[in-house]
Structure formats: C-alpha cells, structure tokens
Amino acid sequence: GQQVMQIPQYQHVQEGEDFTTYCNSSTTLSNIQWYKQRPGGHPVFLIQLVKSGEVKKQKRLTFQFGEAKKNSSLHITATQTTDVGTYFCAMNTGNQFYFGTGTSLTVIP
Amino acid sequence: EAGVAQSPRYKIIEKRQSVAFWCNPISGHATLYWYQQILGQGPKLLIQFQNNGVVDDSQLPKDRFSAERLKGVDSTLKIQPAKLEDSAMYLCASSFRGGYSYNEQFFGPGTRLTVL
C-alpha cells in the first residue's frame, strides 16, 4: 500500500525550540488530517484541513494546507515535553486514505 | 462517552495459526476502520465499513485476511493463516460519518500481534 513520506523522519529539539513537519502528496487531496501518537499509544486526531491555503491554529500548533492542496505542514511553537510523540498526516485522495510515515519528535528538557 | 474498545490487547501465535480481533466502536458511529501498523510506520488502512457494508477494502490481503460487521456495530478481523510479516499493531477506529470524506477518527488501544 501507498505510504507518503513525511519529513523529517526524526527531530530532536530542546524544550522551547520550534518544530515543523511536512507532508507532501503527488496528487491533489480532498482533505488532510493530522494525528498525534504518543509512545505506546494510539493515534489521536488533531485537526482536519479541507480548503486550499487553509491555516488553523490550536494554541501552540499551526496547521497549513497548501494552495494546490498537495502539501501540508504542522508547526509547533516553543515545544514542551508534553509534545513528545509521532505526528502523522493522513491524506484523503477522494477515494483512498493514506497515513504518512510520521515524524517522531523528541523534546529534550 | 466510552471510547473504542478492542480485544485482546496482546496475542502471540505461531505462523500458520489463525487469530481473530474484536472491535466495538463508539456508540452511534456508523463508520468503522481496521488498520495495520507495523512498528515504525504509519497505520495502513485495511478496510472501512459504513454500517454493515464495505466502503473500501482495497488494501486488505484477501487471501488471508477477512473482516465482518454483521449487525453494523461491532466487528471482527481475522487472519488465517498468519505469517511472520503479520506481526503488527491492529488498530480499530470509528467515526460518526464516513464514506470518502474520512472524517475525524477515534482509535481504540489496539491489539499487538506477534507471530513466531
């Protein structure tokens, strides 16, 4: 099955630094979702983006959907230790649904 | 509100044996998904049910995997016979709406399968 590469695969940051993960598709998407999975846990829904160029914020998290609806990013401002986990994008092509490979975030206190 | 329930939480079997997983979605959720997540990878959608009908099973290895949701509520996923490469976490998720809109999904705790 198809899996879309997210970049970076791993990211280690000092607490307080910013973090960004990117998700890219070769095809135009109907929508894109972002999930967070803590170590040993299950994916938890964060947000869904539907519109071209859409930007949504949740406290320190900013989500963007590209103008062409082929890419997306998640940016965390001033990371905290509670942000540790793997962040996945999940892409809806209209008739299929794929999770990205994930970006594993480690926050060093 | 109760979450998605799955059982068992862990299962160890030998290759060529059979195994079944059970999932009970959140009450009122019409759509149920089964995913396979191999360690270090993202979840891979195996099958999506809308009520008791299949919406998408394009990535389900149908020679050995089967799933059913007979009454449109709980569901079982079966592997027969298991192979070593089936070792993974099997996640069940549900959503209020589904189809090709793939709305917000709520995941269960998963079943960790080890095939020896």
Side-chain angles (χ1 to χ4, degrees):
Chain A
Q2 178 174 335
Q3 282 226 322
V4 177
M5 188 67 68
Q6 279 178 245
I7 51 173
Q9 188 175 3
Y10 302 98
Q11 185 80 61
H12 292 70
V13 299
Q14 289 287 142
E15 188 173 15
E17 291 183 337
D18 293 356
F19 160 77
T20 305
T21 175
Y22 300 90
C23 188
N24 295 297
S25 169
S26 57
T27 59
T28 302
L29 303 172
S30 296
N31 58 53
I32 193 165
Q33 298 173 6
W34 285 92
Y35 289 81
K36 176 184 179 181
Q37 187 172 24
R38 292 181 185 273
H42 56 272
V44 175
F45 176 85
L46 295 175
I47 208 153
Q48 177 167 291
L49 305 172
V50 179
K51 299 176 182 177
S52 169
E54 189 169 16
V55 178
K56 287 189 176 180
K57 293 189 176 184
Q58 289 179 351
K59 297 183 180 178
R60 294 178 296 104
L61 277 60
T62 302
F63 304 85
Q64 292 189 333
F65 202 7
E67 292 291 339
K69 298 183 72 173
K70 288 186 175 182
N71 58 76
S72 182
S73 65
L74 158 59
H75 179 82
I76 302 178
T77 303
T79 54
Q80 300 175 359
T81 54
T82 53
D83 296 325
V84 165
T86 301
Y87 292 84
F88 292 101
C89 62
M91 293 181 269
N92 176 11
T93 65
N95 60 3
Q96 288 196 304
F97 189 72
Y98 302 102
F99 271 79
T101 49
T103 295
S104 176
L105 174 64
T106 300
V107 180
I108 304 163
Chain B
E1 178 183 83
V4 176
Q6 288 188 248
S7 68
R9 293 294 306 276
Y10 305 91
K11 190 75 176 178
I12 300 174
I13 62 173
E14 295 193 347
K15 59 183 178 183
R16 292 188 287 274
Q17 286 187 323
S18 300
V19 64
F21 312 123
W22 175 83
C23 173
N24 191 34
I26 292 173
S27 177
H29 280 194
T31 306
L32 185 148
Y33 312 80
W34 282 104
Y35 289 88
Q36 179 194 61
Q37 186 175 25
I38 293 171
L39 194 62
Q41 298 183 15
K44 171 186 161 184
L45 179 63
L46 295 176
I47 190 167
Q48 180 195 175
F49 291 97
Q50 181 80 11
N51 296 309
N52 61 350
V54 175
V55 174
D56 180 6
D57 64 355
S58 57
Q59 299 190 84
L60 185 73
K62 297 180 183 66
D63 58 333
R64 298 184 301 106
F65 286 65
S66 65
E68 60 183 16
R69 193 185 184 200
L70 294 177
K71 296 183 180 178
V73 181
D74 56 347
S75 175
T76 56
L77 175 69
K78 297 179 182 178
I79 307 175
Q80 181 179 11
K83 293 185 176 181
L84 296 177
E85 58 261 36
D86 298 331
S87 293
M89 177 73 82
Y90 289 85
L91 293 160
C92 178
S94 70
S95 64
F96 184 66
R97 291 191 298 270
Y100 292 119
S101 59
Y102 295 100
N103 294 111
E104 173 183 359
Q105 297 175 38
F106 296 83
F107 283 80
T111 297
R112 169 71 66 189
L113 174 67
T114 302
V115 182
L116 303 175

Coordinates of all heavy atoms in Angstrom, one line a residue, chain B residues 38-103:
Chain B
I38 N 2.7 -1.4 11.4 CA 3.9 -2.1 11.7 C 4.8 -1.1 12.4 O 4.8 0.1 12.1 CB 4.6 -2.6 10.3 CG1 3.7 -3.7 9.7 CG2 6.0 -3.1 10.5 CD1 4.1 -4.1 8.3
L39 N 5.6 -1.6 13.3 CA 6.5 -0.8 14.2 C 7.3 0.2 13.3 O 8.0 -0.2 12.4 CB 7.4 -1.7 15.0 CG 8.1 -1.0 16.2 CD1 7.1 -0.5 17.2 CD2 9.0 -2.0 16.8
G40 N 7.2 1.4 13.7 CA 8.0 2.5 13.0 C 7.3 3.0 11.7 O 7.9 3.8 11.0
Q41 N 6.1 2.5 11.4 CA 5.4 3.0 10.2 C 4.1 3.6 10.6 O 3.6 3.5 11.7 CB 5.2 1.9 9.3 CG 6.4 1.2 8.7 CD 6.1 0.1 7.7 OE1 5.0 0.0 7.2 NE2 7.2 -0.7 7.4
G42 N 3.5 4.3 9.6 CA 2.2 4.8 9.9 C 1.1 3.8 9.7 O 1.4 2.7 9.1
P43 N -0.1 4.0 10.3 CA -1.2 3.0 10.1 C -1.5 2.8 8.6 O -1.6 3.8 7.9 CB -2.3 3.6 10.9 CG -1.7 4.6 11.9 CD -0.5 5.1 11.1
K44 N -1.8 1.6 8.3 CA -2.3 1.3 6.9 C -3.7 0.8 7.0 O -4.0 -0.1 7.7 CB -1.4 0.2 6.3 CG -1.9 -0.4 5.0 CD -1.0 -1.6 4.6 CE -1.6 -2.5 3.6 NZ -0.8 -3.6 3.3
L45 N -4.6 1.5 6.2 CA -6.0 1.2 6.2 C -6.2 -0.2 5.6 O -5.9 -0.4 4.4 CB -6.8 2.3 5.5 CG -8.3 2.0 5.4 CD1 -9.0 2.0 6.8 CD2 -9.0 3.1 4.6
L46 N -6.8 -1.1 6.3 CA -7.1 -2.4 5.7 C -8.6 -2.4 5.1 O -8.8 -2.9 4.0 CB -7.0 -3.5 6.8 CG -5.6 -3.7 7.3 CD1 -5.6 -4.8 8.4 CD2 -4.7 -4.2 6.2
I47 N -9.5 -1.9 5.9 CA -10.9 -2.0 5.5 C -11.7 -0.9 6.2 O -11.4 -0.6 7.3 CB -11.5 -3.4 5.7 CG1 -12.9 -3.6 5.1 CG2 -11.6 -3.7 7.2 CD1 -13.4 -5.0 5.0
Q48 N -12.7 -0.4 5.5 CA -13.6 0.6 6.1 C -15.1 0.1 5.9 O -15.4 -0.3 4.8 CB -13.5 1.9 5.4 CG -14.4 3.0 5.9 CD -14.6 4.2 5.1 OE1 -15.4 5.1 5.4 NE2 -13.8 4.4 4.0
F49 N -15.8 0.1 6.9 CA -17.2 -0.3 6.9 C -18.1 1.0 7.1 O -17.8 1.8 7.9 CB -17.6 -1.3 8.0 CG -17.0 -2.6 7.9 CD1 -15.9 -3.0 8.5 CD2 -17.7 -3.6 7.1 CE1 -15.3 -4.3 8.5 CE2 -17.1 -4.9 7.0 CZ -16.0 -5.2 7.7
Q50 N -19.2 1.1 6.3 CA -20.2 2.1 6.6 C -21.4 1.2 7.0 O -22.0 0.5 6.2 CB -20.5 2.9 5.3 CG -21.5 4.0 5.5 CD -21.0 5.2 6.2 OE1 -19.7 5.3 6.3 NE2 -21.8 6.1 6.5
N51 N -21.8 1.3 8.3 CA -22.8 0.4 8.9 C -22.3 -1.0 8.6 O -21.2 -1.3 9.1 CB -24.2 0.7 8.3 CG -24.6 2.1 8.6 OD1 -24.6 2.5 9.8 ND2 -25.0 2.9 7.6
N52 N -23.0 -1.9 7.9 CA -22.5 -3.2 7.8 C -22.0 -3.5 6.3 O -21.7 -4.6 6.0 CB -23.6 -4.2 8.2 CG -24.8 -4.1 7.3 OD1 -25.0 -3.2 6.6 ND2 -25.7 -5.1 7.4
G53 N -21.8 -2.4 5.6 CA -21.3 -2.6 4.2 C -19.9 -2.1 4.1 O -19.4 -1.2 4.8
V54 N -19.2 -2.7 3.1 CA -17.8 -2.4 2.9 C -17.7 -1.2 2.0 O -18.2 -1.2 0.9 CB -17.0 -3.6 2.4 CG1 -15.6 -3.2 2.0 CG2 -17.0 -4.7 3.3
V55 N -16.9 -0.1 2.4 CA -16.7 1.0 1.6 C -15.4 0.9 0.8 O -15.3 1.2 -0.4 CB -16.7 2.3 2.4 CG1 -16.3 3.5 1.5 CG2 -18.0 2.6 3.1
D56 N -14.4 0.4 1.5 CA -13.0 0.3 0.9 C -12.3 -0.8 1.6 O -12.1 -0.9 2.8 CB -12.3 1.6 1.2 CG -10.9 1.6 0.6 OD1 -10.5 0.6 -0.1 OD2 -10.1 2.6 0.8
D57 N -11.9 -1.8 0.8 CA -11.1 -2.9 1.2 C -9.9 -3.1 0.3 O -9.4 -4.3 0.1 CB -11.9 -4.2 1.5 CG -12.5 -4.8 0.2 OD1 -12.4 -4.1 -0.9 OD2 -13.1 -5.8 0.3
S58 N -9.5 -2.1 -0.4 CA -8.5 -2.2 -1.5 C -7.2 -2.7 -1.0 O -6.4 -3.2 -1.7 CB -8.4 -0.9 -2.2 OG -8.1 0.2 -1.4
Q59 N -6.8 -2.4 0.3 CA -5.5 -2.8 0.8 C -5.6 -4.0 1.8 O -4.6 -4.3 2.5 CB -4.9 -1.6 1.6 CG -4.7 -0.4 0.6 CD -3.8 0.7 1.3 OE1 -2.6 0.6 1.3 NE2 -4.5 1.7 1.8
L60 N -6.7 -4.7 1.8 CA -6.9 -5.9 2.6 C -6.3 -7.1 1.8 O -6.8 -7.4 0.7 CB -8.3 -6.1 2.9 CG -8.7 -7.2 3.9 CD1 -8.2 -6.9 5.3 CD2 -10.1 -7.5 3.8
P61 N -5.3 -7.8 2.4 CA -4.9 -9.0 1.7 C -5.9 -10.1 1.8 O -5.9 -10.9 2.8 CB -3.6 -9.4 2.5 CG -3.3 -8.2 3.3 CD -4.6 -7.5 3.6
K62 N -6.7 -10.2 0.8 CA -7.9 -11.0 1.0 C -7.7 -12.5 0.9 O -8.6 -13.3 1.3 CB -8.9 -10.7 -0.2 CG -9.4 -9.2 -0.1 CD -10.3 -8.9 -1.2 CE -10.7 -7.4 -1.2 NZ -9.6 -6.5 -1.5
D63 N -6.4 -12.9 0.6 CA -6.2 -14.4 0.6 C -6.0 -14.9 2.0 O -6.2 -16.1 2.3 CB -4.9 -14.6 -0.2 CG -3.7 -13.9 0.4 OD1 -3.9 -12.8 1.0 OD2 -2.5 -14.3 0.2
R64 N -5.8 -14.0 3.0 CA -5.6 -14.4 4.4 C -6.4 -13.6 5.4 O -6.6 -14.0 6.5 CB -4.1 -14.5 4.7 CG -3.3 -15.4 3.9 CD -1.8 -15.4 4.4 NE -1.2 -14.1 4.3 CZ -0.9 -13.4 5.4 NH1 -1.2 -13.9 6.6 NH2 -0.3 -12.3 5.3
F65 N -6.7 -12.4 5.0 CA -7.4 -11.5 6.0 C -8.9 -11.5 5.6 O -9.3 -11.4 4.4 CB -6.9 -10.1 5.9 CG -5.5 -9.9 6.5 CD1 -4.4 -10.6 6.0 CD2 -5.4 -9.1 7.6 CE1 -3.1 -10.4 6.6 CE2 -4.1 -8.9 8.2 CZ -3.0 -9.5 7.7
S66 N -9.8 -11.4 6.6 CA -11.2 -11.2 6.4 C -11.7 -10.4 7.5 O -11.2 -10.4 8.6 CB -11.9 -12.6 6.3 OG -11.9 -13.3 7.5
A67 N -12.8 -9.7 7.3 CA -13.4 -8.8 8.3 C -14.9 -8.8 8.1 O -15.4 -8.9 6.9 CB -12.8 -7.4 8.3
E68 N -15.6 -8.7 9.2 CA -17.1 -8.6 9.1 C -17.6 -7.6 10.1 O -17.0 -7.4 11.2 CB -17.7 -10.0 9.2 CG -17.5 -10.7 10.4 CD -18.1 -12.1 10.4 OE1 -18.5 -12.6 9.4 OE2 -18.2 -12.7 11.5
R69 N -18.8 -7.1 9.8 CA -19.5 -6.2 10.7 C -21.0 -6.5 10.5 O -21.7 -5.7 9.9 CB -19.2 -4.8 10.4 CG -19.6 -3.8 11.5 CD -19.4 -2.4 11.2 NE -19.7 -1.5 12.3 CZ -20.0 -0.2 12.1 NH1 -19.9 0.4 10.9 NH2 -20.2 0.6 13.2
L70 N -21.4 -7.7 10.9 CA -22.7 -8.2 10.5 C -23.9 -7.3 10.9 O -24.8 -7.2 10.2 CB -22.9 -9.6 11.1 CG -21.9 -10.7 10.5 CD1 -22.1 -12.0 11.2 CD2 -22.1 -10.8 9.0
K71 N -23.9 -6.8 12.1 CA -25.1 -6.0 12.6 C -24.8 -4.5 12.5 O -25.6 -3.8 13.1 CB -25.4 -6.5 14.0 CG -25.9 -7.9 14.0 CD -26.3 -8.3 15.4 CE -26.8 -9.8 15.5 NZ -27.2 -10.2 16.8
G72 N -23.7 -4.2 11.9 CA -23.4 -2.7 11.8 C -22.9 -2.1 13.1 O -22.9 -0.9 13.2
V73 N -22.5 -2.9 14.0 CA -22.0 -2.3 15.3 C -20.6 -2.8 15.5 O -19.6 -2.3 14.9 CB -22.9 -2.7 16.5 CG1 -22.3 -2.1 17.8 CG2 -24.3 -2.2 16.3
D74 N -20.4 -3.9 16.2 CA -19.0 -4.4 16.4 C -18.5 -5.2 15.2 O -19.3 -5.6 14.3 CB -18.9 -5.2 17.7 CG -19.9 -6.4 17.8 OD1 -20.8 -6.4 16.9 OD2 -19.7 -7.3 18.6
S75 N -17.2 -5.4 15.2 CA -16.6 -6.0 14.1 C -15.5 -7.0 14.5 O -14.9 -6.8 15.6 CB -16.0 -4.9 13.2 OG -15.2 -5.4 12.1
T76 N -15.2 -8.0 13.6 CA -14.1 -8.8 13.8 C -13.2 -8.8 12.6 O -13.7 -8.8 11.5 CB -14.5 -10.3 14.1 OG1 -15.4 -10.7 13.1 CG2 -15.3 -10.4 15.4
L77 N -11.9 -8.9 12.9 CA -10.9 -9.1 11.8 C -10.2 -10.4 12.1 O -9.7 -10.7 13.2 CB -9.9 -7.9 11.9 CG -8.7 -7.9 10.9 CD1 -9.1 -7.7 9.5 CD2 -7.7 -6.9 11.3
K78 N -10.1 -11.2 11.0 CA -9.4 -12.5 11.1 C -8.3 -12.6 10.2 O -8.3 -12.1 9.1 CB -10.4 -13.6 10.8 CG -11.6 -13.7 11.8 CD -12.6 -14.8 11.5 CE -13.8 -14.8 12.4 NZ -14.8 -15.8 12.0
I79 N -7.2 -13.3 10.7 CA -6.1 -13.7 9.8 C -6.0 -15.2 9.8 O -5.9 -15.8 10.9 CB -4.8 -13.1 10.4 CG1 -4.9 -11.6 10.6 CG2 -3.7 -13.3 9.4 CD1 -3.7 -10.9 11.2
Q80 N -6.0 -15.8 8.6 CA -5.9 -17.2 8.5 C -5.3 -17.6 7.2 O -5.9 -17.4 6.2 CB -7.3 -17.8 8.7 CG -7.4 -19.3 8.6 CD -8.8 -19.8 8.8 OE1 -9.8 -19.1 8.8 NE2 -8.9 -21.1 9.0
P81 N -4.1 -18.2 7.1 CA -3.2 -18.5 8.2 C -2.2 -17.3 8.4 O -2.0 -16.5 7.5 CB -2.4 -19.7 7.7 CG -2.3 -19.4 6.2 CD -3.6 -18.8 5.9
A82 N -1.7 -17.1 9.6 CA -0.8 -15.9 9.9 C 0.6 -16.2 9.3 O 1.1 -17.3 9.3 CB -0.8 -15.7 11.4
K83 N 1.2 -15.1 8.9 CA 2.6 -15.1 8.5 C 3.4 -14.3 9.4 O 2.9 -13.4 10.1 CB 2.8 -14.6 7.1 CG 2.1 -15.5 6.0 CD 2.4 -15.0 4.6 CE 1.9 -15.9 3.6 NZ 2.2 -15.4 2.2
L84 N 4.8 -14.5 9.4 CA 5.6 -13.7 10.3 C 5.4 -12.2 10.0 O 5.5 -11.4 11.0 CB 7.1 -14.1 10.0 CG 7.5 -15.5 10.3 CD1 9.0 -15.8 10.0 CD2 7.3 -15.8 11.8
E85 N 5.2 -11.8 8.8 CA 5.1 -10.4 8.4 C 3.8 -9.7 8.9 O 3.6 -8.5 8.8 CB 5.3 -10.1 6.9 CG 4.3 -10.9 6.1 CD 4.9 -12.1 5.5 OE1 5.7 -12.8 6.2 OE2 4.5 -12.4 4.3
D86 N 2.9 -10.5 9.5 CA 1.7 -10.0 10.0 C 1.9 -9.4 11.4 O 0.9 -8.9 12.0 CB 0.6 -11.1 10.1 CG 0.2 -11.6 8.7 OD1 0.4 -10.8 7.7 OD2 -0.2 -12.8 8.6
S87 N 3.1 -9.6 12.0 CA 3.3 -9.1 13.3 C 3.2 -7.6 13.3 O 3.9 -6.9 12.5 CB 4.8 -9.5 13.8 OG 4.8 -10.8 14.0
A88 N 2.3 -7.0 14.0 CA 2.0 -5.6 14.0 C 1.0 -5.2 15.0 O 0.5 -6.1 15.7 CB 1.4 -5.2 12.6
M89 N 0.7 -4.0 15.1 CA -0.4 -3.5 16.0 C -1.7 -3.4 15.0 O -1.6 -2.8 13.9 CB -0.1 -2.1 16.5 CG -1.3 -1.5 17.4 SD -1.5 -2.4 19.0 CE -0.2 -1.5 19.9
Y90 N -2.8 -3.9 15.5 CA -4.0 -3.8 14.7 C -4.9 -2.9 15.4 O -5.4 -3.1 16.5 CB -4.6 -5.2 14.5 CG -3.8 -6.0 13.5 CD1 -2.7 -6.7 14.0 CD2 -4.1 -6.0 12.1 CE1 -1.9 -7.4 13.1 CE2 -3.2 -6.7 11.3 CZ -2.2 -7.4 11.7 OH -1.3 -8.0 10.8
L91 N -5.2 -1.8 14.7 CA -6.0 -0.7 15.3 C -7.4 -0.6 14.7 O -7.5 -0.8 13.5 CB -5.3 0.7 15.1 CG -3.9 0.9 15.8 CD1 -3.2 2.0 15.1 CD2 -4.1 1.2 17.2
C92 N -8.3 -0.4 15.6 CA -9.7 -0.2 15.1 C -10.0 1.3 15.4 O -9.6 1.8 16.4 CB -10.7 -1.1 15.9 SG -12.4 -0.9 15.4
A93 N -10.8 1.9 14.5 CA -11.2 3.3 14.7 C -12.6 3.4 14.2 O -13.1 2.6 13.4 CB -10.3 4.2 13.9
S94 N -13.3 4.4 14.7 CA -14.6 4.7 14.3 C -14.8 6.2 14.1 O -14.1 7.0 14.6 CB -15.7 4.2 15.2 OG -15.7 4.9 16.5
S95 N -15.8 6.5 13.3 CA -16.2 7.9 13.1 C -17.7 8.1 12.9 O -18.3 7.1 12.5 CB -15.4 8.5 11.8 OG -15.8 7.9 10.6
F96 N -18.2 9.3 13.2 CA -19.6 9.5 13.1 C -20.1 9.4 11.7 O -21.1 8.7 11.4 CB -20.0 10.8 13.7 CG -21.4 11.1 13.7 CD1 -22.3 10.4 14.5 CD2 -22.0 12.1 12.9 CE1 -23.6 10.7 14.6 CE2 -23.3 12.4 12.9 CZ -24.2 11.6 13.8
R97 N -19.4 10.0 10.8 CA -19.7 9.9 9.4 C -18.5 9.2 8.7 O -17.4 9.1 9.2 CB -19.9 11.2 8.7 CG -21.2 11.9 9.2 CD -21.4 13.1 8.3 NE -20.4 14.1 8.4 CZ -20.4 15.1 9.3 NH1 -21.4 15.2 10.2 NH2 -19.4 16.0 9.3
G98 N -18.7 8.8 7.5 CA -17.5 8.1 6.8 C -17.6 8.3 5.3 O -17.7 9.4 4.8
G99 N -17.7 7.2 4.6 CA -17.6 7.2 3.2 C -16.3 7.8 2.8 O -15.2 7.6 3.4
Y100 N -16.2 8.5 1.7 CA -15.0 9.1 1.1 C -14.6 10.4 1.7 O -13.7 11.1 1.3 CB -15.0 9.1 -0.4 CG -15.0 7.7 -1.0 CD1 -16.1 7.3 -1.8 CD2 -14.0 6.8 -0.8 CE1 -16.1 6.1 -2.4 CE2 -14.0 5.6 -1.3 CZ -15.1 5.2 -2.1 OH -15.1 3.9 -2.7
S101 N -15.3 10.9 2.7 CA -14.9 12.1 3.4 C -13.9 11.9 4.5 O -13.2 12.8 4.9 CB -16.2 12.8 4.0 OG -16.8 12.0 4.9
Y102 N -13.9 10.6 5.0 CA -12.9 10.3 6.0 C -12.8 11.3 7.1 O -11.8 12.0 7.3 CB -11.5 10.0 5.4 CG -11.5 8.9 4.4 CD1 -11.6 9.1 3.1 CD2 -11.4 7.6 4.9 CE1 -11.6 8.0 2.2 CE2 -11.4 6.5 4.0 CZ -11.5 6.7 2.7 OH -11.5 5.7 1.8
N103 N -13.8 11.4 7.9 CA -13.9 12.4 8.9 C -13.0 12.0 10.1 O -12.4 10.9 10.1 CB -15.3 12.7 9.4 CG -16.1 13.3 8.3 OD1 -17.0 12.7 7.7 ND2 -15.8 14.5 8.0

